[in-house]
Amino acid sequence: MSLTLAIKDASGKAAGSIDLPADIFDVQTNVPLIHQVVTAQLAAARQGTHKAKNRGEVSGGGKKPFKQKGTGRARQGSTRSPNQRHGGVAHGPVPRTYEQRTPKKMIAAALRGLLSDRARNARIHVVSEVLPGESPTTKGAIAAVRQFSDRKRLLVVVARHEEDAWRSLRNATDLHLIVWDQLNAYDVVVADDVVFTKAAIEDFIAARAGKVEVNA
């Protein structure tokens, strides 16, 4: 079973249709799974290079700040103590990795669930070409992908060989551009609409479900 999605050209005219396999674009959306995968993806993007010096790493000597008795203050043994000015930090952050183990099957299932949710809500679109027979222009490319939606967050997915489309859209500030084999759960979940080029969605489906059927 498959879903049929209309294809439009850069000018907005009908340019055929494409059959989307139901095992990718019409599966049950598992929200807890998506949350886990997206959280792991964001955690893996953290550098984890934060570091605070403890009392053994800050500069300073072992001299007592003041004498032991007679001052009326609490006794202090070192200027490097955490409760002293310019002293070390107690229990401060240290370099670490935030990566979480996420099996590939979970990552793939989360992406399928998100694409299915977008498809059910008519938020997935296909354009035949971003710049058919033209030199790369950002204005024309943006108009071609923006014909589907004026919502704020737009995700555009292109094929690797579509260099003109990439050069035309890479500097656009009102959309996010990605290659089909880098498509991930986070980029889809934060996008209001997803626009594939015909070549990109063919490559994406072929890589996961075999041959794709396109109706001219």
Side-chain angles (χ1 to χ4, degrees), residues 87-109:
V89 177
H91 310 296
V94 294
R96 56 160 294 189
T97 175
Y98 287 91
E99 292 185 2
Q100 302 176 18
R101 181 181 177 276
T102 311
K104 293 181 179 179
K105 289 185 177 180
M106 291 176 57
I107 297 174

Side-chain angles (χ1 to χ4, degrees), residues 33-210:
L33 172 64
I34 294 171
H35 179 270
Q36 181 176 348
V37 170
V38 171
T39 300
Q41 184 177 342
L42 293 177
R46 298 183 64 176
Q47 289 185 333
T49 55
H50 39 36
K51 177 67 172 73
K53 293 182 179 181
N54 59 34
R55 64 181 298 165
E57 296 170 326
V58 296
S59 61
K63 179 183 177 181
K64 288 175 68 66
F66 43 83
K67 63 181 183 178
Q68 180 84 349
K69 295 180 179 296
T71 64
R73 301 176 61 186
R75 58 191 176 184
Q76 298 294 329
S78 173
T79 57
R80 298 186 295 181
S81 176
N83 58 2
Q84 290 290 312
R85 184 168 181 262
H86 301 307
V89 177
H91 310 296
V94 294
R96 56 160 294 189
T97 175
Y98 287 91
E99 292 185 2
Q100 302 176 18
R101 181 181 177 276
T102 311
K104 293 181 179 179
K105 289 185 177 180
M106 291 176 57
I107 297 174
L111 181 57
R112 289 196 302 268
L114 282 167
L115 291 174
S116 299
D117 176 75
R118 296 297 184 266
R120 282 191 286 268
N121 290 279
R123 298 295 180 90
I124 289 184
H125 317 279
V126 180
V127 61
S128 58
E129 288 181 297
V130 175
L131 292 170
E134 298 181 13
S135 59
T137 61
T138 299
K139 183 178 180 180
I142 291 178
V145 297
R146 272 293 178 188
Q147 64 174 305
F148 301 101
S149 173
D150 59 355
R151 298 182 183 92
K152 183 178 181 180
R153 295 181 294 271
L154 182 68
L155 175 63
V156 179
V157 186
V158 299
R160 285 201 170 271
H161 67 271
E162 295 180 301
E163 297 180 0
D164 287 348
W166 182 271
R167 286 195 295 267
S168 300
L169 294 171
R170 63 185 176 184
N171 292 327
T173 59
D174 62 340
L175 56 85
H176 181 57
L177 182 64
I178 198 172
V179 181
W180 70 267
D181 55 5
Q182 295 178 343
L183 192 62
N184 58 85
Y186 174 76
D187 285 335
V188 178
V189 80
V190 299
D192 294 320
D193 290 84
V194 183
V195 178
F196 287 88
T197 63
K198 179 182 175 183
I201 199 167
E202 288 178 359
D203 291 345
F204 177 76
I205 295 175
R208 287 160 175 79

